[in-house]
Amino acid sequence: MPSLSAYKSDLDYSYAPGVFPSMECMLHRPGQVRRLLLHSSAAGREGADKLRALADKLGVRIEEADKALSRISGKENCFAAAVFEKFEDEPAADKPHVVLHNPGDSGNVGTILRTALGLGIEDVALIRPCVDVFDPKTVRASMGSVFSLRIKVYDSFEDYRAAFPDRPLYPFMLDASIPLQEAVKTKPSVWTLVFGNEGRGLPKEFASCGQAVRIESNDKVDSLNLAIAAGIGIYQFRIQN
């Protein structure tokens, strides 16, 4: 493996910056971990000591790499980072899905991944063009949730539909015909929620792809942040039996 440098999307590996994301990486994707980087000042810290013990157990190489950690994270207080091989999983056909169409913000995507996992959704698809799910910023924003999910990136929404042609779709759109509260009353056991880009939302043609739904709010704001909208949608679909 070449000397460590700042992340680039064309690499076949990435970094999980931070003690907790590194732990999640080694716990849930141990076969993908290549190295564990630790800061010289991490010695004696409880989290770093747990990482070191787990790395020893897994046979993962440990390196003291202060400068590399600074380059990788862009911060001076990053005490650890797992170096891992990129991976891809097929979403499960019999489970609910969340689809993110052309998301452009790593922080939003990371937050959605963490929210989805916390609410019991383990299958997420991203549609290009989109943020790099393996960018360390995304990994850190997800707090390592990316390692517990089945995630796949598709070149187009048509490719996703070809893989799962019979799934009921629920595109979230501001001008949708029915509110979220009505949609969840008749939802099937398996479903796909579709969320659009932070600025543009979903293209108008998505209204005919399934049952378009809207999150009703007052007239004080024109729209909700993508991560918040996704959190509300996932929560409502999960709690409605």
Side-chain angles (χ1 to χ4, degrees):
M1 187 168 137
S3 59
L4 299 174
S5 60
Y7 175 74
K8 296 180 180 179
S9 60
D10 59 350
L11 296 172
D12 66 350
Y13 63 91
S14 185
Y15 310 103
V19 171
F20 190 80
S22 294
M23 181 65 74
E24 290 295 288
C25 180
M26 292 202 294
L27 286 173
H28 300 289
R29 299 280 178 169
Q32 265 72 48
V33 182
R34 293 184 178 182
R35 304 189 204 179
L36 173 64
L37 309 180
L38 291 176
H39 197 278
S40 59
S41 64
R45 294 177 180 268
E46 181 180 2
D49 289 346
K50 289 182 178 179
L51 280 175
R52 184 181 294 276
L54 181 57
D56 286 338
K57 181 179 178 180
L58 296 173
V60 172
R61 178 178 170 182
I62 302 172
E63 296 181 11
E64 188 175 288
D66 294 12
K67 292 182 179 180
L69 286 169
S70 179
R71 288 195 300 269
I72 291 164
S73 67
K75 299 181 179 181
E76 296 298 326
N77 62 343
C78 182
F79 297 108
V83 184
F84 66 92
E85 298 173 2
K86 294 180 180 179
F87 54 88
E88 184 176 75
D89 299 310
E90 291 291 333
D94 60 343
K95 301 292 184 180
H97 295 178
V98 168
V99 172
L100 305 178
H101 186 269
N102 307 151
D105 185 87
S106 294
N108 277 333
V109 171
T111 300
I112 292 170
L113 296 180
R114 187 182 183 191
T115 301
L117 182 63
L119 295 176
I121 302 297
E122 298 181 350
D123 299 89
V124 179
L126 282 78
I127 310 301
R128 292 188 177 97
C130 62
V131 301
D132 184 352
V133 71
F134 292 120
D135 187 307
K137 294 179 182 178
T138 311
V139 175
R140 188 162 198 167
S142 81
M143 288 300 290
S145 296
V146 63
F147 303 113
S148 295
L149 298 169
R150 290 179 289 270
I151 302 176
K152 185 166 183 176
V153 181
Y154 293 86
D155 288 330
S156 68
F157 185 71
E158 288 71 25
D159 288 345
Y160 171 79
R161 287 299 284 155
F164 303 97
D166 301 320
R167 297 177 65 88
L169 297 177
Y170 294 88
F172 278 66
M173 308 179 72
L174 292 176
D175 57 353
S177 57
I178 67 171
L180 174 61
Q181 296 91 324
E182 293 298 318
V184 298
K185 291 179 180 179
T186 58
K187 72 176 180 66
S189 59
V190 175
W191 35 264
T192 294
L193 308 184
V194 187
F195 299 93
N197 174 270
E198 292 88 344
R200 302 185 302 274
L202 288 171
K204 292 183 178 180
E205 55 265 28
F206 273 76
S208 61
C209 290
Q211 178 56 69
V213 298
R214 66 181 185 273
I215 298 175
E216 294 191 310
S217 61
N218 59 38
D219 58 0
K220 302 297 183 182
V221 296
D222 58 354
S223 63
L224 296 174
N225 170 271
L226 173 61
I228 292 174
I232 292 172
I234 295 169
Y235 178 76
Q236 287 294 329
F237 267 75
R238 291 297 291 174
I239 66 170
Q240 185 70 38
N241 294 322

